[in-house]
Amino acid sequence: MAQSNFFRIESPADLQARLSQDLQRVSVLYFRADWAEPCKTMDGVTAELAKRWESVLFLSIEAEALPDISESFEVDAVPYFILLRGHTLLTRLSGAQPAVLSAALKSHASKPSALSSSSQQPVAARTVYQPGEQATGSAGAGGTVAGRGADDVQDESDEDLVKRCEALMKQSDVVLFMKGDRNTPRCGFSQKIVGILETNNIEYTTFDILNDEGVRQKLKELNEWPTFPQLIIKGEFVGGLDVVKEMEESGELREMIEG
């Protein structure tokens, strides 16, 4: 028998509709991915918690399949949990931490709402990582390219930004635009692609988009792809994690690099 408080979200409109049904209700947004082993544990945990907390709305969200939702809430890893009351952010939790999630529910779901209701769109979570940090390394195969700080790009024209993005995409045969770098990936998706490239002994350059907001936004537009990581091979956009995984499995990734 299906639970009446546990649903799989199919679209941004679906999420909005679910949240809008009761603006005083606590909701748990569970961002997951099939490839992430910790999600297998948390699938069972969330199902059990949903049975225990019948008044709480549990919403399962495929982080890669619904990038607009993941991006709007700055989800940078899976499993990832965001607790809302109506459209108001209560807290966010990263990783497979059943005890922490249970404690958060006890803290928020057992209390009457002291927050005003709202008919606006869900409040996006605050950015987890500040983009003002400086990356290390230098351009070149196997390196990490430093981004520009806000002061450096303040007067950069759109034309110059496009040229800079195009140059970055062609700096080496394989360029990975990601959150963090190869040594310290700052999201599960970036970590997974790094693993694929390393396993296949592919030389590549990384660019930390968290350090350059201009490049981060312009690449979404140029490549018509809303999320990161983004893999570029020989100056051409290839795709995100799901595409790269399929290419690795079919042998197309190696063929494209060596061709």
Side-chain angles (χ1 to χ4, degrees):
M1 181 177 176
Q3 291 176 231
S4 60
N5 64 329
F6 199 159
F7 302 93
R8 176 170 173 161
I9 293 301
E10 302 295 339
S11 67
D14 184 22
L15 174 62
Q16 176 66 16
R18 296 283 183 190
L19 295 177
S20 298
Q21 287 178 356
D22 184 349
L23 296 177
Q24 297 305 312
R25 191 179 194 182
V26 171
S27 301
V28 176
L29 276 55
Y30 169 34
F31 292 86
R32 65 176 308 283
D34 286 336
W35 55 262
E37 195 67 28
C39 288
K40 296 178 181 178
T41 298
M42 296 311 293
D43 285 347
V45 170
T46 51
E48 288 302 315
L49 287 174
K51 294 176 183 177
R52 190 181 311 169
W53 294 90
E54 295 181 355
S55 63
V56 175
L57 181 63
F58 286 77
L59 303 175
S60 177
I61 302 170
E62 295 299 316
E64 289 185 276
L66 296 169
D68 289 347
I69 299 177
S70 299
E71 190 78 4
S72 70
F73 285 99
E74 292 289 345
V75 170
D76 62 354
V78 289
Y80 205 102
F81 297 87
I82 290 178
L83 272 66
L84 304 172
R85 186 184 298 279
H87 294 150
T88 303
L89 175 68
L90 298 175
T91 190
R92 53 167 61 227
L93 308 169
S94 180
Q97 304 182 73
V100 177
L101 178 58
S102 180
L105 282 167
K106 290 179 181 178
S107 174
H108 295 289
S110 60
K111 296 178 181 179
S113 174
L115 302 169
S116 59
S117 61
S118 169
S119 59
Q120 299 177 352
Q121 295 289 322
V123 179
R126 293 172 296 174
T127 302
V128 178
Y129 303 115
Q130 298 302 319
E133 301 168 357
Q134 289 296 314
T136 58
S138 57
T144 298
V145 181
R148 297 188 183 183
D151 293 339
D152 297 328
V153 300
Q154 188 172 13
D155 298 325
E156 187 176 28
S157 68
D158 186 70
E159 181 180 357
D160 288 340
L161 179 57
V162 169
K163 290 180 179 178
R164 186 158 66 90
C165 287
E166 291 175 343
L168 287 170
M169 288 191 287
K170 296 177 181 177
Q171 63 190 286
S172 64
D173 282 351
V174 181
V175 185
L176 179 62
F177 291 89
M178 61 181 288
K179 295 181 179 180
D181 57 47
R182 70 178 66 217
N183 297 318
T184 54
R186 296 174 80 171
C187 82
F189 308 130
S190 294
Q191 183 179 38
K192 195 70 175 181
I193 287 193
V194 166
I196 291 173
L197 296 175
E198 295 286 348
T199 299
N200 288 274
N201 296 314
I202 296 171
E203 289 190 356
Y204 63 101
T205 303
T206 65
F207 184 95
D208 186 355
I209 52 92
L210 294 174
N211 288 327
D212 197 316
E213 188 64 18
V215 169
R216 180 179 185 176
Q217 298 303 328
K218 182 54 66 174
L219 282 179
K220 294 180 185 180
E221 177 184 326
L222 291 176
N223 296 330
E224 299 181 350
W225 196 263
T227 59
F228 292 91
Q230 294 185 12
L231 186 67
I232 312 297
I233 297 179
K234 297 180 180 178
E236 298 294 328
F237 171 68
V238 171
L241 176 60
D242 52 347
V243 175
V244 174
K245 285 175 61 180
E246 291 178 1
M247 291 178 65
E248 180 197 26
E249 293 169 359
S250 67
E252 185 181 354
L253 180 63
R254 175 63 64 181
E255 292 176 2
M256 187 172 183
I257 293 173
E258 296 179 348

